[in-house]
Amino acid sequence: MQITVLLLVLVGLTAAGYYMGRASAVRAVGGRIAALHSVPAYYGVYVALWAGLPAFLLFLVWGASENWIVMQMVLGALPQNMTDGSEQSLSLLKADILNIAAGISTGREPDPVVLAAAERYNMLRALGDWMLLAIGSALAVAGLSYARGRIAPDLRARNLVERVINVFLVGCSLVAILTTAGIVLSLVFEAMRFFTVYPIFDFLFGLQWSPQTAIRADQVGSSGSFGAVPLFAGTLLITLIAMLVAVPVGLMSAIYMSEYAPPRVRATMKPVLEILAGIPTVVYGFFAALTMAPFVRRLGESMGMSVSSESALAAGFVMGIMIIPFVSSLSDDVINSVPQSLRDGSYGLGATRSETIRQVVLPAALPGIVAAVMLAISRAIGETMIVTMAAGLAANLTANPLQAVTTVTTQIATLLVGDQEFDSPKTLSAFGLGLVLFVVTLSLNMIALRVVQKYREKYD
Amino acid sequence: MSIQTRTHVKAAEATNPQAAAAPAAKMVARDVKVFYGAKQALKGINIDILENKVLALIGPSGCGKSTFLRCLNRMNDTIDNCRVEGLISLDGEDVYGRRIDAVQLRARVGMVFQKPNPFPKSIYDNIVYGPRIHGLASHRDEMDEIVETSLKRAGLWNEVKDRLREPGTGLSGGQQQRLCIARAIAVSPEVILMDEPCSALDPIATAHIEELIDELRENYTIVIVTHNMQQAARVSQKTAFFHLGDMVECDDTEEIFTNPRDERTQGYITGRYG
Ligand SMILES: Nc1ncnc2c1ncn2[C@@H]1O[C@H](COP(=O)(O)OP(=O)(O)O)[C@@H](O)[C@H]1O
Ligand SMILES: [Mg+2]
C-alpha cells in the first residue's frame, strides 16, 4: 500500500519535474531558446531524473534489504537460547516467524514467543514501509528543488542526461553478460564437484555409460559408470545424419531461391521455409517417434535388415529436416550478399548461369555458407527433444545408424528429470556433460562468427 | 592463340555480303528502343560502330549510355523487366536473332565495368576463367601463355608476374581494373565495351588505362562510356552524344568537340549542364 503510494508519488513528481525543468529553462533565457546550452526538453529530463532517480534507488536498496534487517531486529529481541541453536534450527525458526507473520498456518500450535516475534515482525515492516514512503517522498522533493535551482542557461543538461542514459544502457547489457557468466560459473563449479567424485579422464574417455547409482546406502545397485564416449559418439552420429540431410537440401534450396526463383516465388517460398523453423521441436519429436521411426523400421525389415524401433537414422533425419530452414535461410542471405558486380563480370565473359553460380557465386559465398553450416551443427548438437523421443536412451557405442543411440543432451535431460539428490554423482555428471556441450557449441559459434566477420569485411 | 582466332574472323567477314556492304562497321544499331517495364530508356538509337576505332559515348547521367552499351552484348537479358526492340548486328548478324546465343555473343563482345570487379580468386584464375569455360585452352602451357599475353596487353604483366597466385582482390584499384581488362582480353573478343572504366580510379591509374585503350584499338573495336570530356577527346575517334534516351549526334570526335551541330551537345561539352 505505502509502496504503491510511493511509486505514484515518484511518477507524479517526475512528470512535474519534467515540465518545471523545461519551463524554468525557457524562463531563464527569456524565451530565446538558442541561448540555452541544450534543447529545453533536456532540462526537463534533468530535473525529472533528479526527482525520480535517487528516491527510486533508495526504494531498490530498501526492497533488497528490508526483510533481512527486520528479521535481524526481531531475532535480536528473542531470548538468547532460542537463537543459539544450529543453523538448521535457526532457519526453521525464521520460516516459522515468516509463516505466522504472513498468516499461514504452520500446523503446530505456535509458541507464544514466536507469535510475539511474528507480530513484531509485521509491525516493524509496516513502520519501515511508512518510513520508506516518508523518506522517499522527501528525497524526491529535495532532488527536484535542487535540480531546479541549478538550472541556468549554461548548465550542460544534455551531457548530464546522456551520461545517465549511458550508465543505464551499460547496466542493461551487464544484466545479460552477468547472467551468462553466472550460468557458466555454476556449470564449471558443479562440473568440478563431479570431477572430484569421478576422474575427468574416465569421464572423457570411458566407453561405458550407465549412470544408475544406488540411492540409499542399503540398496543394491550398480555403482554407476560415467564414460561419456558413447554419448559423444551418438551425438556425432545423429548430427552427421542431420547434416547429410540439411546441408544439401538447404543449400540447394538457397541456390534456387537466390539465383533462379522469380521474385514472386521467392517471396512465398522464404516465409514458408521459415514456418518450418517455427514448429516446436516437440512436434518434430513425435513426428520422428511415431511416423519416421516405424517407417524406417518397416523399410529396413523389407530389405531384410534388423532395425531397432528407435533408430539414430529416424532421429537424425527428422532433425535434419528441422535444420533445413536454418541452413537455407542463412545461405540465401549469404548468397544474396555476393555483389551483383561479380555475377555481371562472369556473365560479361560469356559464362552461363550455372557456370557463374558454381565458379563465382558459390566460391565467393563459401565462407558464409561454412559459417551457416557450423551454426546449424551447433544447433543440432544442442537439440534435445527429437532425440529423446526418437532415438532412445540406450547408450550404445555404435556407428550403425539403424541402432538406438543416445546423445549428450538427452542424457542431461533424463539425469535431471524426477527427484534427485543434488550431490550424487548421477546428478553431478549432468553438469560435466553440460560443460562439454557448452564448450563445443561455444567454439563452433565463435569460429562461425569469426568466419562471417572476415567475409563481411571483404565486401563492404 | 588469340591472333589466330582474329584472322579467322576477318576471313569470315570478307565472304559475308552484308558486311561487305558496310565494310568498316563492326556493329550496327538501328532504331534501338529499350524499355524497363513501362519506362522507355532509349528512344530509337542509330549508330555504326567502326572496326578498330574507339567510340566514346557521352551525355548526362541517366540518359541511357549504359543501357545502350549493355544492349550490345545482351547484358540486359539478365535484367528481368528489360525489353529491347530494334536491330543490333555484329558483322552483319542480328545479335538478338536465332543464330546467336547470348553466351557466345558475350565471348565475342567483352565488357569492362565501372567498378573493378575481380573474382575472389587468384590473378591467374581470374584470367583463365573465361578461356576455361569456353574451352579455349585445356593444357597448362596454353593457359600460361594466355595469362602472359593478356596481362602484357593490359600492361599489368610486369607488376604481377611474380604473384600470379595471389588474390586479384589484393591489387590496387587501377591494377584491378587492368586485371579486368586482361580478363576480358583473355577470351579474345572482337569488341570491348567499357562502362566508365576510370570513374573509380585516381588520375595516374586513369592515364594508364587511357594509354592502354589507345594500344588496344589496334586489335579490338572499343566502345567506351565516359563522363570525362578530356578523356573522350583523348582516346576516341568517334563520339556519340546521348540526351534523355536519344542519340543527339554522332560524329568524328574532333568535329563534336570543335564544331558540334546541336546546341544541346555544345551545352554539354562546354559544361553548361550535365
Ligand atoms: N535496371 C533498371 N531498371 C529500371 N530502370 C533502369 C534500370 N537501369 C537503368 N534504368 C533507367 O534507365 C535510364 C538510363 O539509365 P542508364 O543507362 O544507366 O544511364 P547512364 O548510364 O547514361 O547514366 C535511367 O533513367 C535509369 O533510371
Ligand atoms: Mg551508367
Side-chain angles (χ1 to χ4, degrees), chain A residues 55-275:
Chain A
F56 189 68
L57 288 179
L58 172 79
F59 171 70
L60 286 185
V61 172
W62 188 283
S65 55
E66 182 187 17
N67 286 347
W68 186 82
I69 293 173
V70 170
M71 184 54 86
Q72 290 308 312
M73 288 168 74
V74 170
L75 290 178
L78 284 178
Q80 273 283 314
N81 60 351
M82 281 188 81
T83 52
D84 262 356
S86 69
E87 206 174 299
Q88 263 175 341
S89 68
L90 192 63
S91 67
L92 208 63
L93 177 67
K94 282 187 199 168
D96 273 353
I97 294 176
L98 285 179
N99 279 339
I100 296 171
I104 302 167
S105 153
T106 52
R108 282 168 279 138
E109 186 60 31
D111 184 335
V113 183
V114 176
L115 210 58
E119 252 163 47
R120 198 172 138 72
Y121 179 85
N122 275 343
M123 193 269 290
L124 281 174
R125 281 210 50 168
L127 188 67
D129 285 349
W130 280 112
M131 263 166 64
L132 176 63
L133 174 58
I135 298 177
S137 310
L139 207 54
V141 172
L144 192 150
S145 52
Y146 166 73
R148 243 191 106 187
R150 282 201 52 192
I151 284 182
D154 59 349
L155 176 72
R156 297 166 169 258
R158 174 167 45 78
N159 309 35
L160 294 169
V161 168
E162 269 165 10
R163 206 174 307 153
V164 173
I165 291 175
N166 197 350
V167 170
F168 175 72
L169 294 179
V170 168
C172 285
S173 50
L174 276 184
V175 169
I177 294 173
L178 289 181
T179 314
T180 315
I183 291 175
V184 172
L185 282 183
S186 82
L187 201 57
V188 168
F189 282 121
E190 296 294 328
M192 297 290 252
R193 269 176 73 194
F194 173 62
F195 293 137
T196 57
V197 197
Y198 197 86
I200 183 166
F201 187 84
D202 292 355
F203 170 72
L204 286 178
F205 302 104
L207 301 182
Q208 182 70 32
W209 178 265
S210 56
Q212 300 318 320
T213 46
I215 291 179
R216 287 193 316 273
D218 57 341
Q219 232 175 2
V220 273
S222 60
S223 61
S225 163
F226 299 97
V229 169
L231 309 189
F232 300 151
T235 307
L236 268 183
L237 180 63
I238 288 188
T239 305
L240 187 72
I241 296 170
M243 287 299 130
L244 285 179
V245 174
V247 172
V249 177
L251 197 54
M252 296 298 158
S253 62
I255 291 173
Y256 174 71
M257 277 196 296
S258 56
E259 298 290 319
Y260 288 96
R264 272 178 47 206
V265 174
R266 181 165 191 269
T268 47
M269 205 169 142
K270 227 184 146 155
V272 169
L273 265 171
E274 271 150 18
I275 288 176

Side-chain angles (χ1 to χ4, degrees), chain A residues 28 77 403 415 426 446:
Chain A
Q403 285 202 336
L415 285 172
K426 181 183 167 192
M446 265 179 6

Side-chain angles (χ1 to χ4, degrees), chain A residues 13-25 38-54 143-144 147-148 151 155-166 168:
Chain A
L13 282 176
T14 310
Y18 175 77
Y19 288 106
M20 286 157 91
R22 211 173 60 171
S24 57
S38 315
V39 187
Y42 276 110
Y43 292 91
V45 176
Y46 172 75
V47 175
L49 281 174
W50 265 108
L53 212 51
L144 192 150
R148 243 191 106 187
I151 284 182
L155 176 72
R156 297 166 169 258
R158 174 167 45 78
N159 309 35
L160 294 169
V161 168
E162 269 165 10
R163 206 174 307 153
V164 173
I165 291 175
N166 197 350
F168 175 72

Side-chain angles (χ1 to χ4, degrees), chain A residues 382-407:
Chain A
E383 169 53 36
T384 316
M385 220 55 218
I386 296 177
V387 197
T388 310
M389 293 167 87
L393 298 173
N396 295 324
L397 181 54
T398 174
N400 181 355
L402 302 178
Q403 285 202 336
V405 296
T406 190
T407 67

Side-chain angles (χ1 to χ4, degrees), chain B residues 106-221:
Chain B
R106 289 181 204 142
R108 291 172 66 189
V109 183
M111 188 155 198
V112 175
F113 297 84
Q114 183 167 358
K115 206 174 139 234
N117 56 351
F119 302 132
K121 301 169 180 283
S122 71
I123 294 172
Y124 188 96
D125 287 335
N126 261 282
I127 306 279
V128 298
Y129 178 81
R132 236 186 223 146
I133 57 178
H134 293 297
L136 296 182
S138 44
H139 292 299
R140 193 60 214 234
D141 322 345
E142 283 177 310
M143 290 209 250
D144 287 349
E145 200 191 311
I146 290 179
V147 169
E148 186 171 340
T149 34
S150 314
L151 283 173
K152 274 184 175 155
R153 281 206 181 155
L156 193 59
W157 176 249
N158 285 330
E159 288 157 70
V160 302
K161 64 169 182 269
D162 300 320
R163 45 173 175 153
L164 294 175
R165 293 287 158 204
E166 285 171 33
T169 42
L171 298 173
S172 74
Q175 289 173 325
Q176 286 189 11
Q177 194 61 299
R178 277 179 282 151
L179 177 62
C180 293
I181 294 176
R183 184 174 74 183
I185 293 173
V187 287
S188 20
E190 298 153 41
V191 182
I192 301 178
L193 311 174
M194 300 185 175
D195 195 348
E196 300 182 37
C198 302
S199 64
L201 305 183
D202 64 70
I204 293 178
T206 301
H208 232 97
I209 302 238
E210 285 178 8
E211 232 169 84
L212 175 59
I213 292 172
D214 211 43
E215 286 163 23
L216 291 174
R217 178 161 66 91
E218 227 175 277
N219 296 306
Y220 308 93
T221 303

Side-chain angles (χ1 to χ4, degrees), chain A residues 440-457:
Chain A
V440 170
T441 48
L442 183 72
S443 19
L444 274 173
N445 284 359
M446 265 179 6
I447 295 172
L449 287 181
R450 280 294 287 273
V451 173
V452 170
Q453 233 167 34
K454 267 230 160 106
Y455 170 76
R456 289 248 166 83
E457 279 162 16

